[in-house]
Amino acid sequence: MLMNDLIVKKRDGGELSTEEIDFMIQGYTRGEIPDYQMSAMCMAIVFRGMSDKETLDLTMSMMNSGETLDLSPINGIKADKHSTGGVGDKTSLILCPMVSACGVKIAKMSGRGLGHTGGTLDKLESFPGFNISIGEQRFFDNVNKHGIAIIGQTADLDPADKKLYALRDVTATVGCIPLIASSIMSKKLAAGAHSIVLDVKIGSGAFMKTLEDGQKLAESMVRIGRACGRNVVAVMSNMDIPLGFYIGNALEVREAVEVLQGHGCPDLTGVCITLAANMLHLCNGWPIEEATKQAQEAISSGRAFEQMKRWIAAQGGDAAVLDNVSLLPQASVQYELKAPQAGYIHHMDAQKIGESSAILGAGRKTKDDVIDPAAGIVLKEKTGAKVEQGQTLAVLHTDRPETLADAERVFLEAIRWGADAPAAQPLIYGIVTE
Ligand code: URA
């Protein structure tokens, strides 16, 4: 078999066989197929797409490119969650202790942020001492004992995705439904959980910009999960507006604490309750109304907050931070960004807001960049707000004052002004179960 022939076949709209996909993925993982051929294949897939069968074959081949985790040493129902990526998306920090306080075992591997999107590992490392590499045995023990553990993806898990994602990131081939679906699902399947809740983000801050594409991605991932015998549900949620008011790693921990203490902002709290209810429905079999009530009660009773403290401490983190968030890393510069004009905020491009936060030090341009946990943005107003000229729109947090002018420019480019109030947007677009 020759890789060149497979590129020609896909370029001309053909369907790759199971064997051809496996040849390509295993060969690429072993370094036998060079980046330039794989780039050409990815671009051909972007233009020609993949059938459901090809997407499933691609997912299985990627999953089998490395080790797969057997979670059987963990007792009970094991659940995992994955977001397709967004701005201000700290839902894992909130949802995981919520559902674990309701008896579901969270055994989760998370990733780091890249580009304008944040990553759960970076947020967790805002806790002094928090260890994301506790090893497999301690991971199992912690989940059995405390009901929750989140670690970094091990090097041997889905190596095909690691190589492919890095390649796609620099060849304009990330935004492609079969490639995203196989990338996410191969990792989730390899990580072993039987029940998986997917948060498919839709809007300006997400990879999927339209509801139509978001729905296609959600359906594709649910189909893959079901075909592999896993329990999967996808929640399609709004990422046209940053989620919550805080963007940046330690700042997002702060906002997660507010939600778990029962005084979080409505949009973030609402998305977390929907995700948690769907996970409880999936894992505990509770009707969705009962699951929603239990999720709300996990917050109002303080059980979810106590669960977060146990989890953070069990992974070596300083749980005292949760009762005193001023112990979190703080930026030396906090700059109030003022509205250049009066009017309604008609649109706030969430991707640009994420880019502005990354410029301040909260994100990475390349995998090797060092992030500043204290950097980020606290929004004072969001889409739909009526503001006066000179009113504070946001506070920019950074230890690198030289980045402020650029971050401010990008932030202001994100805003479209209008004379009237824009139409309200839904928080949840729908749930995909089939
Ligand atoms: N997240 C992933 O893990 N993979 C993608 O391709 C896109 C988002």
Side-chain angles (χ1 to χ4, degrees):
M1 217 180 278
L2 289 176
M3 183 65 180
N4 193 41
D5 294 342
L6 305 190
I7 299 169
V8 169
K9 189 172 181 185
K10 183 44 73 185
R11 183 200 66 193
D12 295 345
E15 186 180 48
L16 300 172
S17 70
T18 308
E19 294 71 32
E20 287 168 337
I21 288 176
D22 211 42
F23 166 82
M24 160 178 107
I25 292 300
Q26 304 315 325
Y28 182 59
T29 308
R30 287 193 296 264
E32 293 158 12
I33 292 172
D35 279 348
Y36 53 82
Q37 284 192 310
M38 201 64 204
S39 313
M41 175 59 86
C42 287
M43 194 54 90
I45 294 171
V46 167
F47 282 108
R48 290 297 190 170
M50 278 187 139
S51 66
D52 287 349
K53 180 178 171 302
E54 284 176 302
T55 311
L56 179 60
D57 285 342
L58 179 59
T59 308
M60 300 304 285
S61 185
M62 287 167 72
M63 176 187 92
N64 290 323
S65 67
E67 72 168 21
T68 54
L69 209 59
D70 172 11
L71 297 184
S72 58
I74 300 172
N75 311 314
I77 300 162
K78 281 86 65 172
D80 197 350
K81 173 255 175 188
H82 191 88
S83 160
T84 56
V87 178
D89 181 8
K90 66 284 289 176
T91 51
S92 290
L93 299 181
I94 303 163
L95 158 83
C96 293
M98 278 169 82
V99 294
S100 128
C102 297
V104 171
K105 298 275 172 61
I106 293 288
K108 178 168 164 49
M109 288 192 180
S110 286
R112 298 198 177 277
L114 192 62
H116 72 280
T117 63
T120 301
L121 295 184
D122 296 324
K123 293 170 202 184
L124 285 171
E125 284 181 340
S126 306
F127 287 97
F130 191 91
N131 187 356
I132 57 140
S133 317
I134 52 179
E136 199 170 290
Q137 193 53 50
R138 193 166 151 208
F139 176 61
F140 292 158
D141 291 346
N142 278 15
V143 183
N144 271 328
K145 199 160 162 204
H146 305 288
I148 179 170
I150 297 185
I151 57 172
Q153 209 178 296
T154 57
D156 297 336
L157 193 115
D158 204 345
D161 181 61
K162 288 193 187 72
K163 277 192 84 172
L164 256 177
Y165 194 89
L167 184 74
R168 288 166 55 216
D169 197 41
V170 292
T171 55
T173 52
V174 170
C176 166
I177 291 170
L179 294 179
I180 296 177
S182 53
S183 162
I184 291 175
M185 290 309 290
S186 58
K187 287 189 287 253
K188 295 290 106 179
L189 295 171
H194 188 260
S195 297
I196 303 162
V197 172
L198 301 165
D199 183 7
V200 178
K201 300 284 187 201
I202 297 167
S204 59
F207 290 119
M208 296 295 103
K209 306 289 182 202
T210 65
L211 179 54
E212 194 190 350
D213 280 349
Q215 176 120 19
K216 279 190 200 150
L217 177 62
E219 286 170 356
S220 176
M221 291 195 291
V222 170
R223 255 195 314 270
I224 293 168
R226 301 252 157 187
C228 297
R230 310 291 173 98
N231 244 344
V232 186
V233 63
V235 174
M236 296 183 293
S237 66
N238 188 315
M239 187 36 75
D240 207 42
I241 306 171
L243 190 57
F245 283 85
Y246 294 49
I247 301 148
N249 298 290
L251 290 169
E252 293 191 36
V253 167
R254 201 178 261 256
E255 194 169 31
V257 168
E258 288 176 9
V259 175
L260 289 169
Q261 287 177 334
H263 52 88
C265 68
D267 64 345
L268 175 60
T269 307
V271 170
C272 290
I273 287 175
T274 303
L275 291 168
N278 276 279
M279 193 175 267
L280 293 172
H281 173 62
L282 204 64
C283 297
N284 291 355
W286 296 339
I288 201 75
E289 298 75 23
E290 174 64 14
T292 305
K293 227 173 80 197
Q294 292 289 340
Q296 285 161 336
E297 206 268 336
I299 293 181
S300 59
S301 63
R303 283 187 300 121
F305 188 48
E306 289 308 311
Q307 186 60 358
M308 179 142 191
K309 287 183 189 169
R310 272 192 289 276
W311 160 38
I312 298 300
Q315 287 191 235
D318 182 2
V321 162
L322 290 161
D323 284 318
N324 180 6
V325 288
S326 68
L327 296 173
L328 283 165
Q330 312 261 359
S332 53
V333 178
Q334 299 184 11
Y335 167 80
E336 292 197 8
L337 189 157
K338 307 286 185 187
Q341 65 176 85
Y344 283 93
I345 301 179
H346 253 227
H347 179 66
M348 189 174 240
D349 185 309
Q351 174 162 342
K352 278 204 171 290
I353 301 291
E355 284 166 8
S356 171
S357 173
I359 291 168
L360 293 166
R364 297 180 183 81
K365 278 192 219 70
T366 73
K367 275 205 161 100
D368 300 324
D369 283 353
V370 176
I371 57 157
D372 173 2
I377 298 174
V378 176
L379 299 172
K380 295 295 178 189
E381 304 295 344
K382 295 210 292 186
T383 306
K386 183 170 190 268
V387 299
E388 300 301 327
Q389 186 177 8
Q391 190 177 326
T392 301
L393 290 179
V395 181
L396 310 187
H397 291 235
T398 189
D399 287 325
R400 306 171 193 168
E402 69 281 6
T403 63
L404 279 172
D406 206 20
E408 178 167 20
R409 178 185 55 76
V410 173
F411 185 100
L412 290 173
E413 279 172 9
I415 296 180
R416 205 171 58 229
W417 297 92
D420 311 308
Q425 297 188 19
L427 196 55
I428 305 291
Y429 291 107
I431 315 284
V432 174
T433 55
E434 295 292 332

